[in-house]
């Protein structure tokens, strides 16, 4: 049976008090998802490398870095040298996908490969056996609070089939964007097991309880 994981994204948390914001979910969440944006790959900026390191080093939970930056071949390994546990690069931002994911893995970190909504899932297939996670974006990367794109579910079903067929049960299938109590079941039914949730968690009155509730809803879909 698949294990469901919930990764709160701090994109919509209070940036002035991130250690406290992370502590709010430390009893119920698996990892914290750190959205790094450079205002080039996406039209928004979040954290530079130094600030990212501060957040990573002050977090009560392991960190899953989502790099929405150009030149992922450089930044992927750079973030893998921090105390982050997982580093995801975008396919669209890599010149040499194989080299970059190998470098991250060689530094002892979990490695993920992400695809934007307009990128076919087929580009991921050649790298599947080298990956620890596949990230199918369910919004256009750049901002929190956008609407979940259910039209991405065929990509999720395809990736789930490939993983099952190859026996890659330790490779996580992550969705990011618009995950809420209303949408998580659609994603879990399609085959995802790892869910990033930003505004659903941090705009909730009780972020810790929201994480548990999201997990419970997704687990109900597992057969
Ligand atoms: C979007 C980011 C997401 C974002 C999700 O580019 O990659 O991680 O924080 O936020 P919600 O859950 O509000 O869509
Ligand atoms: Zn993200």
């Amino acid at each position: 049976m698949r294990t469901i994981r919930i990764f709160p994204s701090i994109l919509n948390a209070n940036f002035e008090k991130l250690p406290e914001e992370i502590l709010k979910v430390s009893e119920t969440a698996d990892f914290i998802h750190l959205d790094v944006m450079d205002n080039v790959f996406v039209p928004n900026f979040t954290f530079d490398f130094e600030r990212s390191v501060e957040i990573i080093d002050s977090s009560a939970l392991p960190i899953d870095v989502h790099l929405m930056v150009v030149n992922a071949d450089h930044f992927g390994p750079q973030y893998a040298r921090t105390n982050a546990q997982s580093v995801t690069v975008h396919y669209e931002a890599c010149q040499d996908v194989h080299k970059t994911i190998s470098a991250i893995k060689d530094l002892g970190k979990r490695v993920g490969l992400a695809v934007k909504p307009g990128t076919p899932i087929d580009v991921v297939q050649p790298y599947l056996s080298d990956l620890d996670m596949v990230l199918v974006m369910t919004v256009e990367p750049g901002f929190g609070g956008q609407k979940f794109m259910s039209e991405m579910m065929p990509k999720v079903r395809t990736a789930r089939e490939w993983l099952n067929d190859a026996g890659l049960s330790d490779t996580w299938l992550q969705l990011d964007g618009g995950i809420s109590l209303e949408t998580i079941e659609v994603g879990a039914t399609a085959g995802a097991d790892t869910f990033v949730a930003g505004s659903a968690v941090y705009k909730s009155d009780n972020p810790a309880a929201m994480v548990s509730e999201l997990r419970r809803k997704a687990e109900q879909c597992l057969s």
Side-chain angles (χ1 to χ4, degrees):
M1 186 149 103
R2 268 182 284 148
T3 303
I4 298 294
R5 296 170 204 87
I6 308 292
F7 291 14
S9 157
I10 51 173
L11 187 59
N12 275 308
N14 182 348
F15 280 10
E16 307 302 317
K17 297 183 176 177
L18 286 177
E20 291 91 330
E21 293 284 76
I22 292 172
L23 270 179
K24 286 182 184 169
V25 295
S26 62
E27 296 292 316
T28 54
D30 297 281
F31 279 55
I32 291 294
H33 181 86
L34 183 69
D35 288 304
V36 177
M37 305 187 187
D38 65 354
N39 208 17
V40 180
F41 184 71
V42 289
N44 193 6
F45 183 86
T46 53
F47 314 112
D48 63 14
F49 182 70
E50 283 68 29
R51 180 73 182 119
S52 301
V53 168
E54 276 176 24
I55 298 166
I56 293 165
D57 287 345
S58 65
S59 172
L61 280 172
I63 296 278
D64 167 45
V65 177
H66 177 193
L67 287 178
M68 287 163 277
V69 299
V70 294
N71 199 2
D73 307 82
H74 168 73
F75 287 108
Q78 188 183 18
Y79 274 80
R81 283 186 202 97
T82 71
N83 290 317
Q85 276 78 357
S86 173
V87 177
T88 296
V89 291
H90 266 266
Y91 172 83
E92 304 85 358
C94 290
Q95 300 287 326
D96 188 335
V97 176
H98 185 72
K99 194 171 159 197
T100 299
I101 61 182
S102 302
I104 295 169
K105 255 186 116 70
D106 289 349
L107 287 158
K109 299 304 162 81
R110 296 188 63 90
V111 61
L113 188 60
V115 283
K116 288 166 66 167
T119 304
I121 194 69
D122 305 52
V123 302
V124 168
Q125 200 198 17
Y127 309 104
L128 267 192
S129 59
D130 298 321
L131 294 172
D132 297 299
M133 187 163 79
V134 175
L135 166 51
V136 176
M137 290 302 298
T138 42
V139 296
E140 216 43 78
F143 301 93
Q146 303 183 76
K147 187 174 174 289
F148 178 78
M149 299 169 75
S150 56
E151 61 271 35
M152 295 301 120
M153 293 310 102
K155 287 162 69 167
V156 180
R157 285 194 286 272
T158 300
R160 172 50 59 200
E161 266 176 40
W162 289 339
L163 294 174
N164 287 352
D165 291 351
L168 295 169
S169 52
D170 291 335
T171 308
W172 302 350
L173 180 48
Q174 185 179 57
L175 299 190
D176 182 9
I179 297 295
S180 69
L181 292 176
E182 285 69 48
T183 60
I184 195 165
E185 289 165 293
V186 174
T189 304
D193 54 19
T194 303
F195 298 90
V196 176
S199 33
V201 170
Y202 279 105
K203 288 201 190 308
S204 150
D205 293 338
N206 188 338
M210 176 55 71
V211 170
S212 300
E213 191 63 8
L214 286 165
R215 189 191 309 279
R216 196 184 60 77
K217 278 236 164 187
E219 283 174 347
Q220 280 173 356
C221 302
L222 300 182
S223 45

